[in-house]
Amino acid sequence: TLETTLLRVHRHHRAQTRDVDLAPGGSWMAVSSPDRSVSLWPTAVDGRHQVNPVVLAGLPDYPYASAVHPSGGWLVTTDPGFQVWRVNGTKLAAGQTARRTITPLGSPSRLESNVLAARFIDPQIAQLVTGSGAVYQLDSRRPAVLKNLRPGKMDAYESGAPKASVSAAAFVGSRVALGHTDGQLSTFSVNDPSSSSQIKAHQVGVHALAAASTACVLSGGMAGEARAWSLAGEPTPLASPGLANDG
């Protein structure tokens, strides 16, 4: 059996946790919540001592996701738009909770739909995917300048079924995976957005997606099941004794 040890419990938010993103090296993490705040926690502080977070409160809307820069010095938070922040990761990792450990760069930017996933692809460039299926690219040094890599469309896959909205998204290597409210999983290449494919992943909606590797994505269904998919070509289910089947 798998042995686990609870190291620490962090409590701050008044609503559920939507997203958790760990800084490189694991020294701090960002936790997003529908209570319109993101809390930043040191992870290496002695568990016997009280730890308080740095809180980004009063955000314009529900923060869906976040992405930490490879150096740990930048953070992107997302809602129906995005905000880039400069982070003093050394102070944050040491448990210093002064608000000056993180400062916003420019003003929040709004997009046509909620930003469901974000990532840094190199020390300066971040990519965002929205609930319309659009993909944007930005330079963290000039966050007001956006490049649209793929236009958005609410029905991000073509089928004879009624239009279904995008309920989850994840970057998986060079591809983007989108989960839909009707259980479809669609994918496309960031470098060639026209090359898309889809598969019926769940009987009901897809609630969550996470990259397991550069060619594998995990999907969570609204009926409580989880499945693994290979994206080496068309989406293909992977057999796994630890994943439930919802029929």
Side-chain angles (χ1 to χ4, degrees), residues 114-238:
N114 297 328
V115 179
L116 300 183
R119 69 172 177 181
F120 279 95
I121 59 172
D122 69 22
Q124 281 80 42
I125 305 301
Q127 293 179 336
L128 315 169
V129 58
T130 74
S132 69
V135 179
Y136 292 92
Q137 187 164 291
L138 65 95
D139 188 323
S140 60
R141 299 163 299 183
R142 298 182 298 159
V145 180
L146 275 178
K147 180 180 180 181
N148 187 202
L149 301 182
R150 180 184 193 261
K153 46 184 179 179
M154 293 310 296
D155 52 335
Y157 59 90
E158 300 296 332
S159 72
K163 292 181 180 180
S165 60
V166 177
S167 50
F171 287 100
V172 187
S174 63
R175 301 188 68 80
V176 171
L178 301 176
H180 302 267
T181 53
D182 64 353
Q184 290 277 350
L185 172 67
S186 61
T187 71
F188 59 87
S189 170
V190 175
N191 302 318
D192 182 12
S194 63
S195 61
S196 61
S197 57
Q198 71 272 346
I199 192 172
K200 182 70 172 179
H202 297 270
Q203 293 302 312
V204 291
V206 178
H207 182 69
L209 291 172
S213 70
T214 57
C216 177
V217 67
L218 306 177
S219 64
M222 293 180 181
E225 74 291 348
R227 291 175 175 171
W229 303 88
S230 170
L231 300 187
E234 294 291 317
T236 306
L238 296 174

Side-chain angles (χ1 to χ4, degrees), residues 40 42 51-55 91-92 94-102:
L40 309 178
V51 177
N52 295 313
V54 175
V55 180
K91 289 184 177 180
L92 190 58
Q96 297 185 32
T97 59
R99 187 66 168 74
R100 62 180 176 273
T101 58
I102 180 167

